[in-house]
Amino acid sequence: MTKQDHIAVWDRCLSIIKDNTSEEGFKTWFAPIRAKSLVGKTLTLEVPSHYVREHIDTHYSDLLLKVLTLVIGNGFRLIYSVRVVGDSYVRSLENGRETPENRAVVLSGEAQRYNGSAYAIPGIQKVKIDPHLNPNYDFDNFVVGDCNRLGYSAGLSIASDPGKNPFNPLFIYGGPGLGKTHLAQAIGIATKDKFPDKIVRYINANTFVAQYMDTVGINRQITDFLRVYQAIDVLIIDDVHEFAEKSGSQKALFQIFNYLHQSQKQLILTSDKPPVELAGLEQRLLSRFKWGLSVELSMPDYATKLAILKSKCLRGGVEIPDEILEYIAQNVKGNIRELEGTIVTLIAQATFTKKEMTMELAHDLIEKIVQTPQNEITVSKISSVVCDYFKISPEQMASKSRKREVAQARQIAMYLSRTLTNTSLSYIGSQIGGRDHATVLHSYNTVNDLLDTDRTFKKYISDLKRILCQ
Ligand code: ADP
Ligand code: MG
């Protein structure tokens, strides 16, 4: 074990914690902690004071338990060393299940309040439910890299013990084409392989909404609708952002969620944004989405892209020279779906035209496929158009200046970025003046409010949209 292991391990923990706490909470409680050592599976953390240690114990035990189980593995131990007095304090957060004390920690979450739910419908029978799983989306076919390792590990844990693990619900989020559906389905498939009797059901949020409208919207038979869902052991709902503004379906989802979670059944949700950034969903649902673990799927790096290409070729039974695959991995900058599209087109092209798979063929194809559309709207493009429009410099836009025109331009750029691009609030903030996601959200709301009341603002926004979308 190298000297730096404890730092690397704690860094990994921090990156997960960051995704699962508020920004304030993270800054106040976790940022000041230093990793001191890692001996076997015992991690020692240095905390600034007893107060911090106590606060973390009371408020974050559950989260730490999940994170340390994922990063260090079963049987980890955590020791706090308090910086001020220099004494050590062993927290017996020794991987959940074994110690009764931990059991108390894990189970003392908010979920307990829902015991004796009013929504439970008696007499649920085992019904036959088609899981709607696509056999191609299994774990064997899922290439693991830095971009998805955490989701993959959590997924494996869930499949080996669905419902009774700390990752319930598992909330998988990320941009399009990064493997959310594939991963969620893989968990379903692996669960079904291990526990054939368990009822697994995958459903896309849009289908759920349509089903709800069909059964409940017309004859108001919510009980029938809920009954089917309450029989499920592993419920996978894909693209939950589609529930936005659909209050009837949200209500049904809320009831199903409570019932299943309380009965220790597994929930897996996917979305294009993390819970904090989901607009149009009820707060009580969002807070439940955060009960388990949120994991992000991000863009794959070069090595992962190459591994994905190789795996696709192997599975498709085609041989493509390494140098061509390397070229594709380097040049396709989009998501995994685009990467897959490129290789499929390449294979098809070579097959139809009976041409040999050469570097030239790959080159020509990629030229056509990879070209980013000239009119693509990005945060940096928005930023520069807004600068031009208000005659302020990019430096002012990036500065901390609170001058009215500058601050207003910044808010408008943030608003437009949120409306016209599919990027996260934190990304927008990082690109416009190094602000945090809360500032971006605040700007968005401010501009949104002003749009209703202020004519000048309305004109600014419509002018800018015209320029950007032409
Ligand atoms: P999302 O639901 O995030 O939009 P999908 O799960 O539909 O993305 O993935 C898009 C395509 O990329 C699918 O064909 C999927 O099989 C493939 N894919 C995604 N992630 C991986 C991965 N890690 N390994 C192999 N194929 C992947
Ligand atoms: Mg999907």
Short mmCIF file of all heavy atoms in Angstrom, two decimals, residues 415-469:
data_model
loop_
_atom_site.label_atom_id
_atom_site.label_comp_id
_atom_site.label_asym_id
_atom_site.label_seq_id
_atom_site.Cartn_x
_atom_site.Cartn_y
_atom_site.Cartn_z
N TYR A 415 -29.39 32.44 -17.14
CA TYR A 415 -30.76 32.07 -17.47
C TYR A 415 -30.81 31.39 -18.85
O TYR A 415 -31.39 30.32 -19.02
CB TYR A 415 -31.65 33.32 -17.47
CG TYR A 415 -33.02 33.08 -18.03
CD1 TYR A 415 -34.04 32.59 -17.22
CD2 TYR A 415 -33.29 33.30 -19.39
CE1 TYR A 415 -35.31 32.35 -17.75
CE2 TYR A 415 -34.55 33.05 -19.91
CZ TYR A 415 -35.55 32.58 -19.09
OH TYR A 415 -36.79 32.32 -19.61
N LEU A 416 -30.17 32.01 -19.82
CA LEU A 416 -30.21 31.46 -21.18
C LEU A 416 -29.51 30.10 -21.24
O LEU A 416 -29.95 29.20 -21.94
CB LEU A 416 -29.56 32.43 -22.17
CG LEU A 416 -30.36 33.71 -22.43
CD1 LEU A 416 -29.53 34.73 -23.19
CD2 LEU A 416 -31.64 33.38 -23.23
N SER A 417 -28.42 29.98 -20.49
CA SER A 417 -27.71 28.70 -20.50
C SER A 417 -28.60 27.60 -19.96
O SER A 417 -28.63 26.49 -20.47
CB SER A 417 -26.44 28.76 -19.65
OG SER A 417 -25.58 29.73 -20.18
N ARG A 418 -29.33 27.94 -18.91
CA ARG A 418 -30.20 26.90 -18.32
C ARG A 418 -31.34 26.57 -19.28
O ARG A 418 -31.77 25.43 -19.37
CB ARG A 418 -30.76 27.40 -16.99
CG ARG A 418 -31.83 26.49 -16.42
CD ARG A 418 -31.60 26.15 -14.97
NE ARG A 418 -32.18 24.88 -14.62
CZ ARG A 418 -33.14 24.74 -13.71
NH1 ARG A 418 -33.60 25.78 -13.07
NH2 ARG A 418 -33.60 23.54 -13.41
N THR A 419 -31.82 27.59 -20.01
CA THR A 419 -32.96 27.35 -20.89
C THR A 419 -32.55 26.69 -22.20
O THR A 419 -33.26 25.85 -22.71
CB THR A 419 -33.63 28.71 -21.25
OG1 THR A 419 -33.54 29.56 -20.11
CG2 THR A 419 -35.08 28.54 -21.60
N LEU A 420 -31.39 27.07 -22.73
CA LEU A 420 -31.07 26.63 -24.09
C LEU A 420 -30.05 25.49 -24.19
O LEU A 420 -29.84 24.95 -25.26
CB LEU A 420 -30.55 27.82 -24.92
CG LEU A 420 -31.50 29.02 -25.06
CD1 LEU A 420 -30.81 30.14 -25.82
CD2 LEU A 420 -32.77 28.61 -25.80
N THR A 421 -29.38 25.18 -23.08
CA THR A 421 -28.43 24.07 -23.18
C THR A 421 -28.84 22.99 -22.19
O THR A 421 -29.61 23.24 -21.28
CB THR A 421 -26.97 24.47 -22.84
OG1 THR A 421 -26.88 24.68 -21.42
CG2 THR A 421 -26.54 25.73 -23.55
N ASN A 422 -28.27 21.82 -22.41
CA ASN A 422 -28.65 20.71 -21.52
C ASN A 422 -27.53 20.45 -20.52
O ASN A 422 -27.08 19.33 -20.34
CB ASN A 422 -28.91 19.48 -22.39
CG ASN A 422 -29.61 18.41 -21.61
OD1 ASN A 422 -30.18 18.68 -20.55
ND2 ASN A 422 -29.56 17.18 -22.11
N THR A 423 -27.03 21.53 -19.90
CA THR A 423 -25.91 21.34 -18.98
C THR A 423 -26.38 21.58 -17.55
O THR A 423 -27.43 22.18 -17.34
CB THR A 423 -24.77 22.34 -19.30
OG1 THR A 423 -25.36 23.62 -19.45
CG2 THR A 423 -24.05 21.97 -20.57
N SER A 424 -25.58 21.12 -16.60
CA SER A 424 -26.01 21.24 -15.20
C SER A 424 -25.76 22.64 -14.67
O SER A 424 -24.96 23.41 -15.23
CB SER A 424 -25.26 20.23 -14.34
OG SER A 424 -23.91 20.59 -14.29
N LEU A 425 -26.44 22.96 -13.57
CA LEU A 425 -26.26 24.28 -12.96
C LEU A 425 -24.80 24.51 -12.55
O LEU A 425 -24.25 25.59 -12.72
CB LEU A 425 -27.15 24.42 -11.73
CG LEU A 425 -28.66 24.41 -11.97
CD1 LEU A 425 -29.39 24.44 -10.65
CD2 LEU A 425 -29.08 25.59 -12.83
N SER A 426 -24.18 23.46 -12.01
CA SER A 426 -22.79 23.66 -11.57
C SER A 426 -21.88 23.92 -12.75
O SER A 426 -20.94 24.71 -12.66
CB SER A 426 -22.26 22.48 -10.76
OG SER A 426 -23.20 21.50 -10.61
N TYR A 427 -22.16 23.23 -13.88
CA TYR A 427 -21.32 23.48 -15.05
C TYR A 427 -21.49 24.93 -15.52
O TYR A 427 -20.52 25.63 -15.78
CB TYR A 427 -21.68 22.50 -16.18
CG TYR A 427 -20.88 22.76 -17.44
CD1 TYR A 427 -19.57 22.32 -17.55
CD2 TYR A 427 -21.44 23.48 -18.50
CE1 TYR A 427 -18.82 22.59 -18.68
CE2 TYR A 427 -20.70 23.75 -19.64
CZ TYR A 427 -19.39 23.30 -19.73
OH TYR A 427 -18.66 23.57 -20.85
N ILE A 428 -22.75 25.37 -15.58
CA ILE A 428 -23.01 26.74 -16.03
C ILE A 428 -22.27 27.73 -15.12
O ILE A 428 -21.58 28.63 -15.58
CB ILE A 428 -24.53 27.04 -16.03
CG1 ILE A 428 -25.22 26.13 -17.05
CG2 ILE A 428 -24.81 28.51 -16.33
CD1 ILE A 428 -26.74 26.17 -17.00
N GLY A 429 -22.37 27.50 -13.81
CA GLY A 429 -21.71 28.37 -12.85
C GLY A 429 -20.20 28.39 -13.05
O GLY A 429 -19.56 29.43 -12.97
N SER A 430 -19.65 27.21 -13.33
CA SER A 430 -18.19 27.15 -13.48
C SER A 430 -17.75 27.91 -14.74
O SER A 430 -16.64 28.42 -14.80
CB SER A 430 -17.72 25.70 -13.55
OG SER A 430 -18.12 25.13 -14.78
N GLN A 431 -18.62 27.98 -15.73
CA GLN A 431 -18.27 28.67 -16.98
C GLN A 431 -18.54 30.18 -16.93
O GLN A 431 -17.95 30.94 -17.67
CB GLN A 431 -19.06 28.08 -18.16
CG GLN A 431 -18.79 26.62 -18.41
CD GLN A 431 -17.35 26.37 -18.77
OE1 GLN A 431 -16.85 26.86 -19.77
NE2 GLN A 431 -16.65 25.62 -17.92
N ILE A 432 -19.49 30.57 -16.09
CA ILE A 432 -19.81 32.00 -16.03
C ILE A 432 -19.41 32.55 -14.67
O ILE A 432 -20.16 32.47 -13.70
CB ILE A 432 -21.32 32.23 -16.30
CG1 ILE A 432 -21.71 31.62 -17.66
CG2 ILE A 432 -21.67 33.72 -16.27
CD1 ILE A 432 -23.17 31.68 -18.00
N GLY A 433 -18.20 33.04 -14.61
CA GLY A 433 -17.74 33.72 -13.41
C GLY A 433 -17.43 32.83 -12.22
O GLY A 433 -17.37 33.31 -11.09
N GLY A 434 -17.26 31.53 -12.44
CA GLY A 434 -16.89 30.62 -11.34
C GLY A 434 -17.87 30.66 -10.18
O GLY A 434 -17.48 30.72 -9.02
N ARG A 435 -19.16 30.66 -10.49
CA ARG A 435 -20.17 30.69 -9.44
C ARG A 435 -20.65 29.29 -9.12
O ARG A 435 -20.45 28.36 -9.91
CB ARG A 435 -21.38 31.54 -9.87
CG ARG A 435 -21.02 32.94 -10.29
CD ARG A 435 -20.32 33.66 -9.15
NE ARG A 435 -20.51 35.09 -9.20
CZ ARG A 435 -19.76 35.94 -9.87
NH1 ARG A 435 -18.74 35.50 -10.57
NH2 ARG A 435 -20.01 37.23 -9.85
N ASP A 436 -21.36 29.14 -7.97
CA ASP A 436 -21.85 27.80 -7.63
C ASP A 436 -23.27 27.59 -8.17
O ASP A 436 -23.88 28.51 -8.71
CB ASP A 436 -21.78 27.54 -6.12
CG ASP A 436 -22.63 28.53 -5.36
OD1 ASP A 436 -23.49 29.18 -5.97
OD2 ASP A 436 -22.43 28.65 -4.13
N HIS A 437 -23.75 26.36 -8.01
CA HIS A 437 -25.04 26.05 -8.65
C HIS A 437 -26.19 26.85 -8.05
O HIS A 437 -27.14 27.23 -8.73
CB HIS A 437 -25.33 24.55 -8.62
CG HIS A 437 -25.83 24.05 -7.30
ND1 HIS A 437 -24.99 23.64 -6.29
CD2 HIS A 437 -27.08 23.93 -6.82
CE1 HIS A 437 -25.71 23.29 -5.26
NE2 HIS A 437 -26.99 23.44 -5.54
N ALA A 438 -26.07 27.19 -6.74
CA ALA A 438 -27.14 27.95 -6.08
C ALA A 438 -27.27 29.34 -6.71
O ALA A 438 -28.38 29.86 -6.90
CB ALA A 438 -26.86 28.05 -4.60
N THR A 439 -26.12 29.96 -7.04
CA THR A 439 -26.16 31.28 -7.67
C THR A 439 -26.85 31.20 -9.03
O THR A 439 -27.62 32.08 -9.41
CB THR A 439 -24.72 31.81 -7.86
OG1 THR A 439 -24.02 31.62 -6.64
CG2 THR A 439 -24.70 33.26 -8.26
N VAL A 440 -26.52 30.13 -9.77
CA VAL A 440 -27.12 29.99 -11.10
C VAL A 440 -28.64 29.83 -10.97
O VAL A 440 -29.42 30.47 -11.69
CB VAL A 440 -26.52 28.79 -11.85
CG1 VAL A 440 -27.13 28.66 -13.25
CG2 VAL A 440 -25.01 28.93 -11.97
N LEU A 441 -29.04 29.02 -10.01
CA LEU A 441 -30.47 28.79 -9.81
C LEU A 441 -31.17 30.09 -9.41
O LEU A 441 -32.24 30.43 -9.91
CB LEU A 441 -30.67 27.73 -8.73
CG LEU A 441 -32.10 27.21 -8.58
CD1 LEU A 441 -32.56 26.56 -9.89
CD2 LEU A 441 -32.18 26.17 -7.46
N HIS A 442 -30.51 30.85 -8.54
CA HIS A 442 -31.07 32.12 -8.10
C HIS A 442 -31.22 33.07 -9.29
O HIS A 442 -32.25 33.71 -9.47
CB HIS A 442 -30.16 32.73 -7.02
CG HIS A 442 -30.62 34.08 -6.58
ND1 HIS A 442 -31.72 34.24 -5.78
CD2 HIS A 442 -30.14 35.31 -6.85
CE1 HIS A 442 -31.90 35.54 -5.58
NE2 HIS A 442 -30.95 36.21 -6.20
N SER A 443 -30.17 33.14 -10.13
CA SER A 443 -30.23 34.02 -11.31
C SER A 443 -31.36 33.60 -12.21
O SER A 443 -32.10 34.43 -12.74
CB SER A 443 -28.93 33.93 -12.11
OG SER A 443 -27.85 34.25 -11.31
N TYR A 444 -31.46 32.30 -12.42
CA TYR A 444 -32.51 31.78 -13.29
C TYR A 444 -33.89 32.22 -12.78
O TYR A 444 -34.71 32.75 -13.52
CB TYR A 444 -32.43 30.25 -13.35
CG TYR A 444 -33.56 29.61 -14.10
CD1 TYR A 444 -33.52 29.50 -15.49
CD2 TYR A 444 -34.69 29.15 -13.43
CE1 TYR A 444 -34.57 28.93 -16.19
CE2 TYR A 444 -35.75 28.58 -14.12
CZ TYR A 444 -35.68 28.47 -15.50
OH TYR A 444 -36.72 27.92 -16.19
N ASN A 445 -34.10 32.06 -11.47
CA ASN A 445 -35.40 32.41 -10.90
C ASN A 445 -35.66 33.92 -10.98
O ASN A 445 -36.77 34.35 -11.27
CB ASN A 445 -35.49 31.96 -9.44
CG ASN A 445 -35.57 30.44 -9.37
OD1 ASN A 445 -36.04 29.80 -10.31
ND2 ASN A 445 -35.11 29.85 -8.27
N THR A 446 -34.60 34.71 -10.73
CA THR A 446 -34.76 36.16 -10.80
C THR A 446 -35.19 36.59 -12.20
O THR A 446 -36.14 37.36 -12.38
CB THR A 446 -33.41 36.86 -10.47
OG1 THR A 446 -32.92 36.29 -9.28
CG2 THR A 446 -33.57 38.35 -10.32
N VAL A 447 -34.47 36.08 -13.21
CA VAL A 447 -34.79 36.47 -14.58
C VAL A 447 -36.20 35.99 -14.94
O VAL A 447 -36.99 36.73 -15.54
CB VAL A 447 -33.74 35.92 -15.57
CG1 VAL A 447 -34.15 36.23 -17.01
CG2 VAL A 447 -32.37 36.51 -15.29
N ASN A 448 -36.51 34.80 -14.54
CA ASN A 448 -37.84 34.24 -14.81
C ASN A 448 -38.94 35.14 -14.24
O ASN A 448 -39.93 35.43 -14.91
CB ASN A 448 -37.92 32.87 -14.15
CG ASN A 448 -38.57 31.87 -15.08
OD1 ASN A 448 -39.02 32.23 -16.17
ND2 ASN A 448 -38.64 30.63 -14.67
N ASP A 449 -38.72 35.63 -13.01
CA ASP A 449 -39.72 36.51 -12.39
C ASP A 449 -39.82 37.83 -13.14
O ASP A 449 -40.91 38.33 -13.41
CB ASP A 449 -39.34 36.82 -10.93
CG ASP A 449 -39.50 35.59 -10.06
OD1 ASP A 449 -40.14 34.61 -10.55
OD2 ASP A 449 -38.99 35.58 -8.92
N LEU A 450 -38.64 38.37 -13.49
CA LEU A 450 -38.63 39.66 -14.17
C LEU A 450 -39.32 39.58 -15.54
O LEU A 450 -39.91 40.55 -16.01
CB LEU A 450 -37.20 40.16 -14.34
CG LEU A 450 -36.60 40.75 -13.06
CD1 LEU A 450 -35.10 40.97 -13.23
CD2 LEU A 450 -37.28 42.08 -12.73
N LEU A 451 -39.21 38.42 -16.18
CA LEU A 451 -39.81 38.26 -17.49
C LEU A 451 -41.31 38.51 -17.48
O LEU A 451 -41.89 38.97 -18.45
CB LEU A 451 -39.57 36.82 -17.99
CG LEU A 451 -38.28 36.58 -18.75
CD1 LEU A 451 -38.17 35.13 -19.14
CD2 LEU A 451 -38.23 37.45 -20.00
N ASP A 452 -41.92 38.20 -16.32
CA ASP A 452 -43.36 38.39 -16.21
C ASP A 452 -43.73 39.86 -16.03
O ASP A 452 -44.82 40.28 -16.37
CB ASP A 452 -43.90 37.64 -14.98
CG ASP A 452 -43.89 36.15 -15.24
OD1 ASP A 452 -43.89 35.76 -16.42
OD2 ASP A 452 -43.87 35.38 -14.25
N THR A 453 -42.79 40.63 -15.46
CA THR A 453 -43.17 41.96 -15.05
C THR A 453 -42.46 43.08 -15.79
O THR A 453 -42.93 44.22 -15.84
CB THR A 453 -42.85 42.16 -13.55
OG1 THR A 453 -41.50 41.72 -13.34
CG2 THR A 453 -43.77 41.34 -12.66
N ASP A 454 -41.32 42.78 -16.37
CA ASP A 454 -40.48 43.84 -16.90
C ASP A 454 -40.35 43.73 -18.42
O ASP A 454 -39.77 42.78 -18.94
CB ASP A 454 -39.09 43.71 -16.23
CG ASP A 454 -38.19 44.87 -16.53
OD1 ASP A 454 -38.26 45.38 -17.67
OD2 ASP A 454 -37.43 45.26 -15.65
N ARG A 455 -40.91 44.72 -19.12
CA ARG A 455 -40.92 44.67 -20.59
C ARG A 455 -39.52 44.70 -21.20
O ARG A 455 -39.23 44.03 -22.18
CB ARG A 455 -41.68 45.89 -21.12
CG ARG A 455 -43.14 45.72 -21.03
CD ARG A 455 -43.74 45.97 -22.40
NE ARG A 455 -45.16 46.20 -22.24
CZ ARG A 455 -45.78 47.31 -22.60
NH1 ARG A 455 -45.10 48.28 -23.17
NH2 ARG A 455 -47.06 47.45 -22.42
N THR A 456 -38.65 45.55 -20.59
CA THR A 456 -37.30 45.68 -21.14
C THR A 456 -36.60 44.32 -21.09
O THR A 456 -35.92 43.92 -22.03
CB THR A 456 -36.48 46.68 -20.30
OG1 THR A 456 -37.39 47.60 -19.74
CG2 THR A 456 -35.41 47.34 -21.08
N PHE A 457 -36.77 43.66 -19.98
CA PHE A 457 -36.15 42.35 -19.81
C PHE A 457 -36.65 41.37 -20.84
O PHE A 457 -35.90 40.61 -21.42
CB PHE A 457 -36.50 41.80 -18.41
CG PHE A 457 -35.29 41.62 -17.57
CD1 PHE A 457 -34.74 42.70 -16.91
CD2 PHE A 457 -34.69 40.38 -17.45
CE1 PHE A 457 -33.61 42.55 -16.14
CE2 PHE A 457 -33.56 40.22 -16.68
CZ PHE A 457 -33.02 41.31 -16.02
N LYS A 458 -37.93 41.43 -21.06
CA LYS A 458 -38.55 40.54 -22.02
C LYS A 458 -37.91 40.74 -23.39
O LYS A 458 -37.64 39.79 -24.11
CB LYS A 458 -40.05 40.86 -22.09
CG LYS A 458 -40.89 39.66 -22.30
CD LYS A 458 -42.33 40.03 -22.09
CE LYS A 458 -43.18 38.81 -22.39
NZ LYS A 458 -44.50 38.91 -21.88
N LYS A 459 -37.66 42.02 -23.70
CA LYS A 459 -37.07 42.31 -25.00
C LYS A 459 -35.62 41.79 -25.07
O LYS A 459 -35.22 41.20 -26.06
CB LYS A 459 -37.11 43.83 -25.27
CG LYS A 459 -36.52 44.19 -26.61
CD LYS A 459 -36.81 45.61 -27.00
CE LYS A 459 -36.06 46.09 -28.22
NZ LYS A 459 -35.11 45.21 -28.84
N TYR A 460 -34.87 42.02 -23.99
CA TYR A 460 -33.49 41.52 -23.97
C TYR A 460 -33.49 40.03 -24.30
O TYR A 460 -32.75 39.55 -25.14
CB TYR A 460 -32.86 41.65 -22.58
CG TYR A 460 -32.55 43.05 -22.12
CD1 TYR A 460 -32.43 43.32 -20.76
CD2 TYR A 460 -32.36 44.08 -23.03
CE1 TYR A 460 -32.14 44.61 -20.31
CE2 TYR A 460 -32.06 45.36 -22.58
CZ TYR A 460 -31.97 45.62 -21.22
OH TYR A 460 -31.68 46.86 -20.78
N ILE A 461 -34.32 39.31 -23.57
CA ILE A 461 -34.30 37.85 -23.71
C ILE A 461 -34.73 37.44 -25.12
O ILE A 461 -34.10 36.58 -25.74
CB ILE A 461 -35.21 37.18 -22.66
CG1 ILE A 461 -34.73 37.51 -21.24
CG2 ILE A 461 -35.27 35.66 -22.86
CD1 ILE A 461 -33.40 36.90 -20.84
N SER A 462 -35.77 38.09 -25.65
CA SER A 462 -36.20 37.63 -26.97
C SER A 462 -35.17 38.02 -28.04
O SER A 462 -34.90 37.25 -28.95
CB SER A 462 -37.61 38.12 -27.30
OG SER A 462 -37.58 39.50 -27.53
N ASP A 463 -34.53 39.19 -27.90
CA ASP A 463 -33.45 39.56 -28.84
C ASP A 463 -32.34 38.51 -28.80
O ASP A 463 -31.89 38.02 -29.83
CB ASP A 463 -32.80 40.89 -28.41
CG ASP A 463 -33.66 42.08 -28.82
OD1 ASP A 463 -34.69 41.84 -29.46
OD2 ASP A 463 -33.29 43.22 -28.46
N LEU A 464 -31.92 38.21 -27.57
CA LEU A 464 -30.78 37.30 -27.43
C LEU A 464 -31.11 35.90 -27.96
O LEU A 464 -30.29 35.26 -28.60
CB LEU A 464 -30.35 37.23 -25.95
CG LEU A 464 -29.57 38.45 -25.49
CD1 LEU A 464 -29.57 38.56 -23.97
CD2 LEU A 464 -28.13 38.39 -26.00
N LYS A 465 -32.32 35.46 -27.68
CA LYS A 465 -32.71 34.13 -28.18
C LYS A 465 -32.69 34.12 -29.70
O LYS A 465 -32.27 33.15 -30.31
CB LYS A 465 -34.10 33.76 -27.67
CG LYS A 465 -34.09 33.19 -26.27
CD LYS A 465 -35.42 32.55 -25.94
CE LYS A 465 -35.35 31.85 -24.59
NZ LYS A 465 -36.66 31.55 -24.04
N ARG A 466 -33.16 35.23 -30.30
CA ARG A 466 -33.16 35.30 -31.77
C ARG A 466 -31.74 35.20 -32.31
O ARG A 466 -31.44 34.44 -33.21
CB ARG A 466 -33.85 36.59 -32.23
CG ARG A 466 -34.30 36.51 -33.66
CD ARG A 466 -35.32 37.57 -34.05
NE ARG A 466 -35.71 38.51 -33.03
CZ ARG A 466 -35.10 39.68 -32.78
NH1 ARG A 466 -34.04 40.02 -33.47
NH2 ARG A 466 -35.54 40.48 -31.84
N ILE A 467 -30.83 35.95 -31.68
CA ILE A 467 -29.44 35.93 -32.16
C ILE A 467 -28.86 34.51 -32.03
O ILE A 467 -28.22 33.99 -32.92
CB ILE A 467 -28.57 36.92 -31.34
CG1 ILE A 467 -29.11 38.34 -31.50
CG2 ILE A 467 -27.11 36.83 -31.77
CD1 ILE A 467 -28.50 39.35 -30.57
N LEU A 468 -29.13 33.91 -30.88
CA LEU A 468 -28.53 32.61 -30.61
C LEU A 468 -29.12 31.50 -31.47
O LEU A 468 -28.42 30.56 -31.86
CB LEU A 468 -28.72 32.23 -29.14
CG LEU A 468 -27.78 32.94 -28.17
CD1 LEU A 468 -28.33 32.91 -26.76
CD2 LEU A 468 -26.39 32.30 -28.22
N CYS A 469 -30.39 31.58 -31.77
CA CYS A 469 -31.04 30.46 -32.45
C CYS A 469 -31.08 30.62 -33.97
O CYS A 469 -31.62 29.79 -34.66
CB CYS A 469 -32.44 30.25 -31.91
SG CYS A 469 -32.42 29.81 -30.17
#
